């Protein structure tokens, strides 16, 4: 998911070379995991004390509040030309065009689809810095 969030400095979109390296590593991991499954070897990661507490205090403790805030924190800038793309692609049907403007229905799940696909880079959710690059899937990153 962090690759999806295109306008937050902690999650910069990876460049094509980096993506190739990540994909190679992921393939190796996958093949190791498959081998382990085949050999009935059980490997667990992230279940030690430190990992569990890191997950609890850096992620789980805050994520609920963030999600709640995000539900109603969609902003549309003056660049919006009312093309309606965000309305069509929102999986939550959270956006609609009313009185020549986009309105939100407080159902956002922070998927970032609208942010990444708005042709005007006019829509932001929760993080309201200028959108520079947009995530276009793995294929887009490899271009
Ligand atoms: S996709 Fe962008 S430009 Fe089109 S209606 Fe939505 S916010 Fe406006
Ligand atoms: S981030 Fe996803 S759920 Fe939220 S308004 Fe945009 S498309 Fe809809």
């Amino acid at each position: 998911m962090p690759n999806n969030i295109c306008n937050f400095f902690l999650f910069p979109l990876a460049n094509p070379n980096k993506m190739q390296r990540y994909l190679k590593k992921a393939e190796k991991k996958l093949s190791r995991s498959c081998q382990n499954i085949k050999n009935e070897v059980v490997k667990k990661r992230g279940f030690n004390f430190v990992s569990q507490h890191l997950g609890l205090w850096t992620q789980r403790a805050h994520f609920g509040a963030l999600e709640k805030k995000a539900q109603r924190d969609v902003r549309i800038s003056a660049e919006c030309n009312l093309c309606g793309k965000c309305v069509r692609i929102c999986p939550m049907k959270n956006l609609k065009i009313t009185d020549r403007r986009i309105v939100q229905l407080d159902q956002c799940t922070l998927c970032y689809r609208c942010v990444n696909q708005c042709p005007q880079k006019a829509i932001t959710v929760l993080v309201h810095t200028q959108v520079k690059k947009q995530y276009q899937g793995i294929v887009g990153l490899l271009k």
Side-chain angles (χ1 to χ4, degrees):
M1 179 171 160
N3 246 331
N4 229 8
I5 298 179
C6 55
N7 60 336
F8 184 50
F9 73 103
L10 277 181
F11 304 140
L13 290 187
N15 66 35
N17 292 339
K18 253 192 186 169
M19 275 318 292
Q20 292 284 8
R21 285 206 299 276
Y22 291 160
L23 283 175
K24 274 199 184 125
K25 266 192 188 169
E27 264 175 12
K28 274 189 193 159
K29 272 191 185 171
L30 267 176
S31 124
R32 266 202 311 271
S33 300
C34 292
Q35 207 57 45
N36 284 339
I37 292 170
K38 207 170 145 192
N39 297 334
E40 297 184 2
V41 175
V42 178
K43 293 240 175 195
K44 282 185 177 180
R45 288 183 60 201
F47 283 85
N48 62 54
F49 180 81
V50 176
S51 299
Q52 284 188 338
H53 278 262
L54 266 178
L56 179 63
W57 299 114
T58 60
Q59 204 175 8
R60 271 178 280 162
H62 307 290
F63 209 74
L66 269 183
E67 272 187 329
K68 228 177 197 158
K69 187 168 187 281
Q71 264 178 358
R72 57 195 68 207
D73 197 13
V74 177
R75 287 188 206 166
I76 317 283
S77 78
E79 307 304 313
C80 171
N81 61 10
L82 290 175
C83 72
K85 186 170 185 183
C86 56
V87 175
R88 289 192 298 277
I89 62 174
C90 175
M92 297 304 294
K93 306 208 181 312
N94 180 46
L95 305 166
K96 66 176 188 177
I97 300 180
T98 305
D99 298 331
R100 296 201 49 75
R101 66 189 185 95
I102 305 286
V103 293
Q104 59 184 314
L105 304 173
D106 300 346
Q107 298 293 325
C108 179
T109 52
L110 201 57
C111 76
Y112 250 61
R113 195 179 283 186
C114 56
V115 182
N116 282 306
Q117 295 199 30
C118 169
Q120 296 295 105
K121 296 183 179 158
I123 185 164
T124 52
V125 184
L126 194 64
V127 178
H128 300 293
T129 55
Q130 177 63 45
V131 176
K132 291 182 184 138
K133 278 180 168 180
Q134 289 164 306
Y135 176 67
Q136 305 291 335
I138 294 277
V139 176
L141 284 174
L142 291 174
K143 277 184 196 160

